[in-house]
Amino acid sequence: VGNLRDELLKPIWHAFTALDVDRSGKVSKSQLKVLSHNLCTVMKIPPDPVALEEHFKDDDEGPVSNQGYMPYLNRFILDKVQDNFDRVDFNKMCWTLCARKNISRTHLLISEEDAFKVWCIFNFLSEDKYPLVIVAEEIEYFLRKLTEAMGGNWIQEKFNAYKAQLARKQNCLSAWELIELVGMGHFSKGMDRQTLSMGINEVFQELILDVFKQGYMMKKGHKRKNWTERWFVLRPSSISYYVSEDLKEKKGDIVLDRNCCVESLPDKEGKKCLFIVKCADKSFEISASDKKKKHEWIQAIQTCLNLLRLGLPSPHREARQKRRELRRKQQAEQEELEDQMKRLQATNENRQHELETLRKKLEEAAAKAAREERMRLQTQVELQDRYRMDLEREKMVRQEMEQQVAQKSSELEQYLQRVHELEDMYRLLEEALEDERQARQDAEAVRKLQARLLEEEASKRAELEHMHLQQQRAIFRTEAEKQELRNERLAKETALQGAMEQLALLESERQGALEQYQEVMKKLEDATNKTQSWKNKVAHQEGLIRLIQPGTKGPQKITNWGPSAFTEAELNVREKNWQEKKNRPAQTQ
């Protein structure tokens, strides 16, 4: 299912891209509605116009992008698709939308039908990435198969030269570039148009239509037992035979499954190169034109049966998958190698950087050592000069100190006089300090008074905070009680709602029981009326034939025929008969 979805998405992508006229990645909603309807028609999906209108219904009339169309495409088309439609018709519908916009046939050597087949082959071989491209390896695979189908020789050097030119286009081509490459005849020079067309058709039938082998052979009829020439087409799960190779008149199918087998037959009835295909319900005898064709057909049919038994796809599909997996593996290895090269390059750069840093540090250390040596020598010279200058300075200082000693002795006398003056000033200063101490004691008393006032204010503030905290707790308890009452009210409302629902259910059950009771009462009333009518009829008939007889002398019972009309024994017999007749209709009902 996943492979079918991927194969269907590629032609739809071409159609969507063709509708995107201004290459903005968006298509108008009206065009997408038409495209969706055409897809449903060609893929045999019942259209859902309500879902189509609902999906594209929006406040604005703007276009829808490819991502906006994909949800609808996946849900209402691709999720419902079954492999019961004609793939060629589906591809042609998408081709019709995109071919006219992208192909100019003025310089092509191939017909539009051949261009369509090349386009289908491109979709089959292209990568599962968008925008769709075909890589150089798949281009070589297709051109090699086309050359073999035309009976030509593959020239690898020619393709290698083209591959070098292809490197400028990132080693890939779009569908229209591939059609132009084939249509311009770059790899089919020396071949006429008919040979090129037949080669394209053969590759198309093998890759797209899964045709393993085809050709004329004789087939033995099942009814008249005559031999008739038919055109046989071998596919993975069937052998179809037609009147001629134009495939216009199909005569039948040989459905292949894992229980079928193919065997060679000896020559008989004047027919040679015989083989038989045995199926569960019938067998088919076929005659090839020669032994080589017979061997090729038996081998091809046996290959199909082996693939069916193993549940494997067609060889070219399996080969395509292997090539893709190999490319993915090579790409992963290339990416890993590039990562390793980057890591090695980064490591090398780091080491180069470390070596450069070490070299710079060594150069700086050598320069620093040279500077230190020069500074040491300079410092030594400076110290010697300074020592000599210090000796001269010390000599001068000694002379100056002798002069200062003489000067100091005169200054000492002046100093003693100033000491006496300072003692007087000290006494005055002590008196001033005593006054300052008294002022500080007064200030300390004021500060203690302020501290006591502040403590009283702090205690009052603590009391206020305690009262505020109690108020907050009271408010919190009130809120909790409110929440609890609210929860109880919700629980009671829920219980009341449940009780109301149960009451409504009981009311509906009571109403149903009442209707049943009324129906039973009506049936009982009908049965009573019917029984009463039968009683009246019986009584009327028996009253008409009753003969008058003398009554008994005992107590008389009065009936609707009058007193003494029946005896006691007759009444008992009549009551018994009446009871039996009453029970008999009830049993028949």
Side-chain angles (χ1 to χ4, degrees), residues 16 19-20 26-34 56 61-65:
F16 184 93
L19 295 176
D20 181 14
K26 296 184 178 181
V27 177
S28 66
K29 295 177 183 177
S30 59
Q31 288 178 315
L32 289 180
K33 290 180 182 179
V34 175
F56 292 109
E61 295 296 329
V64 176
S65 65

Side-chain angles (χ1 to χ4, degrees), residues 9-28:
L9 272 176
K10 292 180 179 180
I12 296 173
W13 177 83
H14 281 293
F16 184 93
T17 307
L19 295 176
D20 181 14
V21 180
D22 54 357
R23 299 183 183 276
S24 63
K26 296 184 178 181
V27 177
S28 66

Side-chain angles (χ1 to χ4, degrees), residues 28 36 44 69 149 233-234 344 366 495:
S28 66
S36 301
K44 297 182 180 180
Y69 181 56
V233 178
L234 174 62
L344 289 174

Side-chain angles (χ1 to χ4, degrees), residues 269-285:
E269 300 176 6
K271 295 295 179 184
K272 297 181 179 181
C273 305
L274 296 174
F275 64 92
I276 184 171
V277 180
K278 295 182 179 180
C279 299
D281 52 351
K282 61 175 67 174
S283 300
F284 300 85
E285 293 184 16

Side-chain angles (χ1 to χ4, degrees), residues 269-311:
E269 300 176 6
K271 295 295 179 184
K272 297 181 179 181
C273 305
L274 296 174
F275 64 92
I276 184 171
V277 180
K278 295 182 179 180
C279 299
D281 52 351
K282 61 175 67 174
S283 300
F284 300 85
E285 293 184 16
I286 301 172
S287 172
S289 58
D290 53 46
K291 291 184 178 180
K292 181 181 178 183
K293 293 287 180 63
K294 170 186 173 181
H295 179 71
E296 289 176 354
W297 273 97
I298 291 176
Q299 188 175 9
I301 295 172
Q302 189 62 49
T303 300
C304 291
L305 295 176
N306 291 336
L307 291 174
L308 287 173
R309 292 188 183 104
L310 297 175

Side-chain angles (χ1 to χ4, degrees), residues 1-2 4-6 8-9 12 39-40 43-46 69-85:
V1 178
L4 176 62
R5 180 186 293 264
D6 292 337
L8 296 179
L9 272 176
I12 296 173
L39 288 175
C40 290
M43 296 165 75
K44 297 182 180 180
I45 299 173
Y69 181 56
M70 282 303 296
Y72 175 82
L73 182 64
N74 284 323
R75 180 180 177 186
F76 295 100
I77 297 180
L78 296 181
D79 289 347
K80 298 180 180 180
V81 70
Q82 302 291 332
D83 198 4
N84 60 349
F85 62 94

